[in-house]
Amino acid sequence: MEDGRETAAMREQARKDRQIDRWCHTIDDTPALENTDSDIGLCGWILVLFSILLTLLTLPLSIWMCIKIVKEYERAIIFRLGRILRGGAKGPGLFFILPCTDSFINVDMRTITFDIPPQEVLTKDSVTVSVDGVVYYRVQNATLAVANITNADAATRLLAQTTLRNVLGTKNLSEILSDREEIAHSMQSSLDDATDDWGIKVERVEIKDVKLPLQLQRAMAAEAEASREARAKVIAAEGEMNASRALKEASLVIAESPSALQLRYLQTLNTIAAEKNSTIIFPLPIDMMQSFLKH
């Protein structure tokens, strides 16, 4: 267990180091993103000035095309002549664009939930199981989610399915049934590492259901029933052994005092009489027959 904890701690530390390296790399690339206006060239500046002039000439009608609103949970990535505008994502609130040269993409920053479809997985001990799950993620960096990948949502869904297969393929059936939290944590770490370059943060992964083949369910049920029957037989045998020991001790006590046997006879008669039986059997003391046996 200690080795497993140390390995998990090492993986977590390595993941944090990779995140720090990516953040440093992102910080180094930030000036390049902020200076995109200076890279549009002379023709680009001419088009921008022409768009500004056209906007001023068509006031106040053009103001409705220039003003855009971004909601509290959204961010807008503005492209000017195909390049990301300086400052990165805009919002929430109002922002301005040039009608002819600018375009924008809205990115939802809320936590998104999706179900992993049931996956047929072959476990380490060659058992086929069907496993599904649920993933919670959110966009952490809107610029990376737009610039680094075509469809972040679809890519995350496909990656979750392949990660589920890869993680469960290294586990036995007993581990899948008992260590769901560990499997979910391992999947979350793998997905989080893979989606850092896309600006996505995987917050939580849960295993919903593990479906076993019908024949395997019957075999496991028969095994569990046989195990319970074996335990019941062992318990009954232990009870008989304890009862025989108690009877042996009781016989030794009665043998020391012959009058104790007569008292036991009277207790037995009292028990029989309490049940309103019409026939009462009175046991004959064995001591009375000893004299006849001697002759």
Side-chain angles (χ1 to χ4, degrees):
M1 291 295 292
E2 294 181 356
D3 295 338
R5 293 177 181 175
E6 292 178 358
T7 304
M10 293 174 63
R11 288 200 302 265
E12 185 68 19
Q13 185 63 33
R15 186 178 68 84
K16 292 181 180 179
D17 294 339
R18 288 194 296 270
Q19 286 182 347
I20 293 174
D21 293 339
R22 292 190 182 97
W23 292 339
C24 294
H25 182 69
T26 303
I27 293 173
D28 294 337
D29 292 343
T30 301
L33 292 175
E34 292 180 351
N35 296 329
T36 52
D37 288 350
S38 62
D39 298 335
I40 60 178
L42 180 60
C43 294
W45 279 109
I46 293 175
L47 292 175
V48 170
L49 293 176
F50 178 76
S51 178
I52 295 174
L53 180 61
L54 182 62
T55 301
L56 294 177
L57 292 177
T58 56
L59 285 176
L61 297 178
S62 61
I63 196 67
W64 301 107
M65 300 178 62
C66 296
I67 296 178
K68 302 296 179 181
I69 300 176
V70 175
K71 298 178 181 179
E72 182 69 30
Y73 54 84
E74 293 179 338
R75 297 295 182 271
I77 307 299
I78 303 176
F79 293 89
R80 176 163 294 171
L81 296 177
R83 296 180 179 272
I84 296 178
L85 194 65
R86 69 172 61 185
K90 305 294 183 181
L94 294 173
F95 65 94
F96 295 87
I97 63 171
L98 298 177
C100 300
T101 59
D102 293 354
S103 61
F104 69 96
I105 298 176
N106 282 341
V107 179
D108 196 334
M109 304 295 289
R110 293 176 293 181
T111 299
I112 300 174
T113 306
F114 66 88
D115 292 330
I116 302 176
Q119 303 294 311
E120 295 289 339
V121 182
L122 184 64
T123 62
K124 189 177 181 181
D125 50 354
S126 301
V127 177
T128 302
V129 295
S130 178
V131 185
D132 58 355
V134 60
V135 178
Y136 302 83
Y137 78 93
R138 61 182 175 84
V139 177
Q140 193 172 21
N141 190 322
T143 303
L144 296 179
V146 172
N148 287 359
I149 190 168
T150 304
N151 191 333
D153 181 72
T156 305
R157 291 173 183 268
L158 293 176
L159 184 61
Q161 297 178 21
T162 56
T163 303
L164 179 62
R165 288 176 175 269
N166 295 335
V167 172
L168 295 182
T170 60
K171 302 290 185 180
N172 296 327
L173 178 60
S174 59
E175 295 175 350
I176 294 176
L177 296 176
S178 60
D179 298 337
R180 293 191 180 186
E181 293 184 0
E182 182 180 355
I183 294 173
H185 181 71
S186 178
M187 285 187 58
Q188 179 184 357
S189 300
S190 300
L191 288 173
D192 200 15
D193 292 340
T195 56
D196 277 343
D197 293 335
W198 306 341
I200 291 177
K201 172 66 177 176
V202 178
E203 297 179 340
R204 190 180 182 90
V205 177
E206 292 292 341
I207 303 298
K208 292 175 60 178
D209 190 16
V210 179
K211 296 182 180 179
L212 303 177
L214 184 59
Q215 295 180 352
L216 182 59
Q217 293 180 13
R218 293 175 179 175
M220 294 178 66
E223 181 183 1
E225 184 178 358
S227 178
R228 287 193 295 269
E229 290 180 356
R231 287 197 300 269
K233 291 181 179 179
V234 170
I235 293 173
E238 291 179 352
E240 293 291 339
M241 183 177 61
N242 294 332
S244 62
R245 289 178 180 176
L247 290 174
K248 179 182 178 181
E249 295 177 358
S251 64
L252 294 177
V253 173
I254 293 175
E256 294 178 356
S257 177
S259 60
L261 183 60
Q262 301 297 328
L263 294 176
R264 183 58 181 165
Y265 290 158
L266 296 176
Q267 291 178 356
T268 305
L269 289 174
N270 187 20
T271 303
I272 296 174
E275 296 178 358
K276 298 181 180 179
N277 292 326
S278 59
T279 303
I280 296 178
I281 300 175
F282 183 78
L284 183 66
I286 301 300
D287 295 341
M288 297 178 60
M289 303 297 297
Q290 288 181 357
S291 59
F292 297 100
L293 294 175
K294 292 180 181 179
H295 296 291

